[in-house]
Structure formats: structure tokens, C-alpha cells
Amino acid sequence: MTYIDLNSDLGEGFGPWAMGDDAKMLSIVTSANVACGGHASDPETMFRTLELARDNGVAVGAHPGFNDREGFGRRIIPMSPAEIGRMCAAQIGALIGIAAQVGIPVTYVKPHGALGNLAARDRDVADAIVMAVQKIDPKLAILAISGTQSEQAARAADAPVFSEIFADRGYLSSGQLVPRGQDGAMIHDAAEAAQRLIAFLDTGLMPVIDGDPIKLSAQSICVHGDSKGAVEMAYEIRQRLTAHGVQITSFSNL
């Protein structure tokens, strides 16, 4: 039997402003990447999101990003790799502190947005993030974009690492995501996304916009929680994968 995790970026509101429908997403996904004060969130948003994750039996990871609320962490802020590592450490520590109040463990780290894409192609940044995470807790896993520098850096450091693919994002032949704003960057049709994932799980090949399909491996599938129709897409993907004989479970259990 094939096993796969469904993860989503959640807790991305701030104060009275909500982003997405976390309650519904947490009834569908098996892992939650919780924003921890950089690109979004605050202590109360973290607390509420972590409570919902605990009550739904969903695994929790820290989702650090550039300190860029206005740009939702999707712009690169010029920083040295060492500064990026310390920025991530501060945000991960904040989430771990709030998680202790809720009584749920933080088991992994997944960089957000521009930070995640930068680490995917820049080994120095990837190494700095992995080193920062390992100094906090060597048992904390890295959830990395499959086939990228982030994945390679974690493996080189002998850190726990799981690889992810994206349900709603297009790919380049380099294994990196098509930049937002370019044609082919986003997949909005839930049925199309589900069929692409089924084909990937059957073959290990991911279609790209600039060449032949590429070989990737993955233990997790991401559905962005802030995308329009995110809940419907996550539900459709879960239903279609389950009907195809795929067992949906947190990668933390694999």
C-alpha cells in the first residue's frame, strides 16, 4: 500500500484578520505547517491553530518565513545565511513555546514562501536553516521541497528529513516551483490536481512546464491553505487518493 501525508500552511492570520479556513483544513490534512510570527501569525493565532490541530490529531510543524507581513513572506529580504538561521530559530522557538501551552509537540520545520524557495536553490541558506533547526532539537525533522538543496542539506547533516511535492503548484525541470505570477505557476482545478498526484504516485514522475517529466520522491503533499478553493481542493485530493488505494497519514508516523 502507498502511504502519503497531506500538509497545509495554516495559522496565517494576524490579530482579527483570518487567512483561509483553518478549522475545515484541519479536518482534512494530516500535518499543519503553522506560521510563527514572521510572514504571519501572532501568539493567539498560533494558540488557536495549535488547539485545532491537537483536537483533530494533526501533526504540527513550524513554518518560519521572512519578516514580511506586507508581502506575506513571498519577497526575499536580503540577509546573510547566518542571519536567516537565527531568524528561523527565533520563530521556531516561539511556536514551540506556544505549543507547550497547548500540549502538542512540534515535530518538524518547513520554511515558508520566498524563504523556502531560496533554500531550495541556495545551499548556504539551506545549510544555515538545517543547522539552526538541529541546534534547537536534533529530532526536529525538515520538510523539504523534493529534489532541492533543502533536501540535500538535511541529508548531508544526517538530519531527519521528509520530502514534499505540491498539489497546486507547477514545476520547472530543475525541480523548483514555477515562480508565482508566471503562466503555469498555479493549479486551480481540484480534479486536475488530484489526477496529477495519482499519476505521480503511480510513476514517480512529475510533469514540468519546460521539458520532460522529472523523477521525484515524496512523503507529503502540500495544499496551500490560503489559495482560493483550498478546502475543496484538499477534500477532493483526499477523496480521490483514498479511492485509489492510498493511505493518508502523517509522515511523522511513517
Side-chain angles (χ1 to χ4, degrees):
M1 177 177 285
T2 300
Y3 297 86
I4 199 74
D5 170 73
L6 286 182
N7 79 75
S8 190
D9 306 340
L10 302 173
E12 293 185 312
F14 179 70
W17 294 281
M19 175 67 78
D21 192 334
D22 287 1
K24 287 185 179 177
M25 287 296 284
L26 283 165
S27 70
I28 300 169
V29 301
T30 47
S31 295
N33 321 310
V34 181
C36 35
H39 69 286
S41 201
D42 54 63
E44 289 305 305
T45 300
M46 286 186 249
F47 185 84
R48 290 192 299 271
T49 307
L50 291 166
E51 278 192 316
L52 285 169
R54 179 199 63 196
D55 294 346
N56 281 276
V58 173
V60 165
H63 197 41
F66 283 118
N67 293 312
D68 176 30
R69 295 185 191 277
E70 295 83 0
F72 199 60
R74 289 181 175 152
R75 302 178 295 188
I76 292 177
I77 307 300
M79 301 173 71
S80 71
E83 290 171 330
I84 287 174
R86 290 188 286 271
M87 175 188 71
C88 289
Q91 293 181 37
I92 296 163
L95 189 73
I96 289 173
I98 298 296
Q101 314 306 306
V102 175
I104 186 172
V106 175
T107 59
Y108 67 94
V109 174
K110 172 188 168 178
H112 165 81
L115 178 61
N117 291 332
L118 179 62
R121 63 179 183 268
D122 188 321
R123 182 58 180 265
D124 289 340
V125 171
D127 285 336
I129 293 173
V130 171
M131 184 181 301
V133 171
Q134 290 291 283
K135 284 184 176 179
I136 294 170
D137 183 350
K139 296 189 296 296
L140 275 175
I142 303 293
L143 181 57
I145 301 174
S146 181
T148 65
Q149 293 295 325
S150 294
E151 182 183 53
Q152 295 169 26
R155 296 198 188 286
D158 201 26
V161 57
F162 297 91
S163 302
E164 71 170 341
I165 57 171
F166 289 78
D168 50 4
R169 294 296 308 277
Y171 278 82
L172 299 169
S173 56
S174 64
Q176 296 177 27
L177 302 177
V178 179
R180 287 176 181 268
Q182 290 189 17
D183 289 343
M186 301 299 299
I187 297 172
H188 298 289
D189 184 86
E192 177 188 351
Q195 188 55 48
R196 185 182 72 154
L197 292 171
I198 288 171
F200 168 79
L201 292 173
D202 286 344
T203 66
L205 296 175
M206 177 63 70
V208 300
I209 68 166
D210 57 346
D212 294 329
I214 58 174
K215 187 79 173 177
L216 295 175
S217 63
Q219 294 79 49
S220 187
I221 296 167
C222 177
V223 180
H224 283 96
D226 64 295
S227 299
K228 184 179 180 180
V231 170
E232 293 78 9
M233 178 171 286
Y235 181 79
E236 174 81 6
I237 287 169
R238 179 156 190 156
Q239 293 296 105
R240 290 280 299 277
L241 292 183
T242 300
H244 193 66
V246 178
Q247 179 71 40
I248 308 299
T249 185
S250 170
F251 60 80
S252 300
N253 298 328
L254 298 178

